[in-house]
Amino acid sequence: MLRIGCHLSSSKGYLAMGETAKSIGANTFQFFTRNPRGGAAKQIDPDDISAFLDFSKENDIGPILAHAPYTLNAAAKEPRIREFALITMQDDMKRLEQTPGNLYNFHPGSHVGQGTELGIELIVDILNQIISPEQSTTILLETMAGKGSEIGGSFEEISRIISRTEHSDKLGVCLDTCHVFDGGYDIKGNLESVLSEFDRVIGLSRLHAIHLNDSLHGFESHKDRHAKIGEGFLGLETFAAVINHPSLRELPFYLETPNELDGYEKEIALLKSVYNS
Ligand code: FE
Ligand code: FE
Ligand code: ZN
């Protein structure tokens, strides 16, 4: 069965997200843990959590993917900005244990001119402070488009972060189709070789989730602009190949395309129609 959902607003709580997902034909979803620009998170309501846990069990919803605010930068130059990333991610880790066994995705960071090596060191330093060996959440590093000084635009950089982190059994990867294509991995022309490279450099067992986004710009453009499924440079055939690939087909897929709910509902139906059951 295709495991698919989209990015949803978390403003009305967990149960509302679960119900919304179900209403558009999804069986999972992604959400921001707080305002995407950072800042204080809404208080978690224990009644909402327990209602959601019941609902998701009854309706087979999940695994859910919590996305860290995209403005966090664990590799920042200013200590104050790194401290903010640390505190926010620590708080997210604590909150996510209320919905145990799910996924947390973050953008590794931008080294802002300090160089990739130092940037990776700073990211590893924060990961080592936020991961506890008891946690049930798996933290995913998102593959990036390599825009500006972004770290994580190559599989090698992601692999270096994972191998240097202490409790690396808590780490995995979320592959974003727009980002990798933008970053120079030709999943349209040669999905097979990209996946074997991923397997060689990182290991396919580390791959826990896929962001399904078409790309508004062409191969290796490093622009990171998402397009609707089938309306960008990747095209529907690429997505059909991705969701049916033997190494990927059991993973959860999350849409982050420029859509409102009705658009997501259509894309989910479209992808289901090309999924070989
Ligand atoms: Fe992201
Ligand atoms: Fe993404
Ligand atoms: Zn993106």
Side-chain angles (χ1 to χ4, degrees):
M1 185 191 45
L2 181 60
R3 195 43 73 182
I4 188 163
C6 63
H7 188 91
L8 294 177
S9 160
S10 57
S11 63
K12 290 187 183 129
Y14 282 87
L15 179 61
M17 288 191 282
E19 288 172 341
T20 302
K22 187 183 176 186
S23 77
I24 58 170
N27 48 16
T28 186
F29 58 87
Q30 172 179 272
F31 63 103
F32 284 125
T33 55
R34 59 192 72 223
N35 184 312
R37 302 197 178 280
K42 238 178 59 186
Q43 199 65 39
I44 284 192
D45 170 3
D47 293 339
D48 179 42
I49 291 280
S50 70
F52 168 71
L53 291 175
D54 288 345
F55 183 85
S56 60
K57 204 169 166 190
E58 274 160 36
N59 293 283
D60 186 25
I61 305 256
I64 57 172
L65 177 53
H67 195 307
Y70 50 73
T71 47
L72 297 187
N73 187 6
K77 190 168 184 171
E78 273 185 65
R80 186 179 52 82
I81 299 176
R82 294 202 302 271
E83 180 71 14
F84 181 67
L86 172 66
I87 288 168
T88 303
M89 291 173 84
Q90 259 167 348
D91 185 50
D92 282 348
M93 286 300 100
K94 227 183 286 161
R95 297 160 58 88
L96 290 176
E97 286 305 313
Q98 302 192 51
T99 49
N102 286 299
L103 306 166
Y104 180 64
N105 173 69
F106 80 108
H107 296 177
S110 293
H111 66 69
V112 290
Q114 305 178 92
T116 307
E117 182 52 37
L118 181 55
I120 286 175
E121 244 171 71
L122 294 170
I123 295 163
V124 168
D125 185 55
I126 285 193
L127 284 172
N128 281 337
Q129 294 181 72
I130 66 163
I131 300 176
S132 76
E134 299 83 29
Q135 74 180 55
S136 69
T137 302
T138 302
I139 301 176
L140 307 182
L141 296 137
E142 181 166 353
T143 60
M144 302 308 292
K147 202 168 77 175
S149 67
E150 258 173 13
I151 294 170
S154 74
F155 298 161
E156 282 78 11
E157 289 172 5
I158 293 199
S159 164
R160 277 156 70 193
I161 296 170
I162 293 173
S163 63
R164 293 186 203 180
T165 302
E166 203 180 336
H167 297 292
S168 65
D169 56 309
K170 305 295 179 193
L171 289 181
V173 176
C174 173
L175 184 142
D176 186 308
T177 55
C178 167
H179 297 176
V180 291
F181 184 66
D182 243 15
Y185 294 97
D186 189 7
I187 55 168
K188 181 188 174 79
N190 206 337
L191 177 63
E192 211 51 57
S193 79
V194 172
L195 290 180
S196 52
E197 186 170 348
F198 187 101
D199 194 34
R200 181 175 56 78
V201 178
I202 301 175
L204 277 169
S205 63
R206 291 277 185 190
L207 187 54
H208 288 262
I210 309 263
H211 280 164
L212 288 179
N213 300 307
D214 212 326
S215 178
L216 202 57
H217 295 279
F219 180 60
E220 232 173 347
S221 59
H222 304 291
K223 288 261 180 35
D224 189 4
R225 292 285 306 281
H226 303 183
K228 293 181 186 179
I229 300 300
E231 295 186 13
F233 275 81
L234 286 171
L236 182 59
E237 307 87 273
T238 302
F239 293 98
V242 166
I243 64 176
N244 284 299
H245 192 281
S247 302
L248 310 178
R249 55 180 288 117
E250 304 295 332
L251 293 173
F253 299 97
Y254 305 88
L255 294 158
E256 301 177 305
T257 44
N259 274 307
E260 301 295 327
L261 277 182
D262 57 335
Y264 280 133
E265 184 171 15
K266 282 187 197 131
E267 287 189 348
I268 289 167
L270 175 64
L271 290 161
K272 282 181 178 172
S273 77
V274 296
Y275 187 69
N276 307 324
S277 46

